[in-house]
Amino acid sequence: METKISEITAEQTHDLRHRVMWPDQPISFAILPEDANGVHFGLWKNEVLISIVSVFLNEKEAQFRKFATETTEQGHGYGSQLLHHMIDFTKSKGVQLLWCNARSEKAYFYEKFGFKTTDETYTKKGIDFVKMQMSL
Ligand SMILES: CC(C)(COP(=O)(O)OP(=O)(O)OC[C@H]1O[C@@H](n2cnc3c(N)ncnc32)[C@H](O)[C@@H]1OP(=O)(O)O)[C@@H](O)C(=O)NCCC(=O)NCCS
């Protein structure tokens, strides 16, 4: 089994985003207007794209979004590998604050990487979100 992480195009993220995050919605749900301004990373297992994350840099801050692992490949550490890679990338770009809007039920997962919850929360489509951030 061979894995590698590389930068990918926004278009390469759309199929996995769609299938993992919004299988019941049209593909347009998987496309962000900001995609052209993002840096997109993918983890490949035996040449198949199985985990993705997108990061949007704004001077000294960056937000990561649309983190997803192929359903059948979750829980094997691939997402964690990709997150570490993305964090190292943002550090190398001089980013000082990395943040995301996390599903509240997933906050404990991001805490393992050093992210801290903030008091900014909201609910969208019945799902609770919390802004999490980390100083780099
Ligand atoms: C969130 C998501 C991207 C994580 O990807 P993943 O590849 O499953 O991540 P990992 O395998 O690294 O970690 C998942 C769990 O497996 C555990 N794990 C890590 N390495 C492992 C390994 N080698 N073997 C077994 N389990 C492992 C992790 O500790 C983690 O456990 P936890 O949930 O109790 O914290 C994935 O669950 C997903 O796509 N979810 C649906 C979309 C979504 O919710 N996106 C994020 C919105 S905030």
Side-chain angles (χ1 to χ4, degrees):
M1 195 257 297
E2 193 185 318
T3 61
K4 76 166 189 210
I5 293 174
S6 68
E7 198 172 319
I8 58 176
T9 63
E11 289 69 30
Q12 284 175 297
T13 68
H14 294 162
D15 174 58
L16 205 48
R17 277 186 193 169
H18 181 224
R19 286 187 296 103
V20 176
M21 296 180 139
W22 302 283
D24 301 332
Q25 302 290 342
I27 182 85
S28 55
F29 260 66
I31 302 170
L32 296 173
E34 303 89 347
D35 266 343
N37 305 323
V39 183
H40 311 274
F41 292 103
L43 185 145
W44 304 78
K45 179 182 171 189
N46 298 333
E47 315 291 324
V48 180
L49 188 61
I50 59 159
S51 189
I52 50 171
V53 67
S54 300
V55 61
F56 299 85
L57 280 71
N58 182 6
E59 299 186 1
K60 297 290 172 200
E61 282 192 19
Q63 177 188 13
F64 75 88
R65 303 178 69 178
K66 310 303 170 213
F67 177 38
T69 297
E70 185 74 76
T71 314
T72 53
E73 301 284 358
Q74 292 177 8
H76 297 290
Y78 298 125
S80 298
Q81 271 185 51
L82 191 60
L83 214 50
H84 281 301
H85 184 92
M86 185 273 297
I87 293 167
D88 287 348
F89 168 81
T90 53
K91 278 183 190 163
S92 78
K93 293 291 175 193
V95 169
Q96 292 172 0
L97 189 80
L98 181 60
W99 64 277
C100 70
N101 289 318
R103 293 181 186 213
S104 300
E105 61 174 29
K106 275 275 164 192
Y108 72 92
F109 176 80
Y110 298 108
E111 280 169 353
K112 291 191 273 189
F113 294 81
F115 288 93
K116 305 248 186 295
T117 52
T118 68
D119 56 10
E120 288 181 50
T121 60
Y122 60 95
T123 303
K124 195 168 115 188
K125 293 202 163 110
I127 299 170
D128 293 329
F129 288 86
V130 59
K131 181 176 177 180
M132 300 190 72
Q133 62 187 33
M134 169 163 67
S135 299
L136 299 179

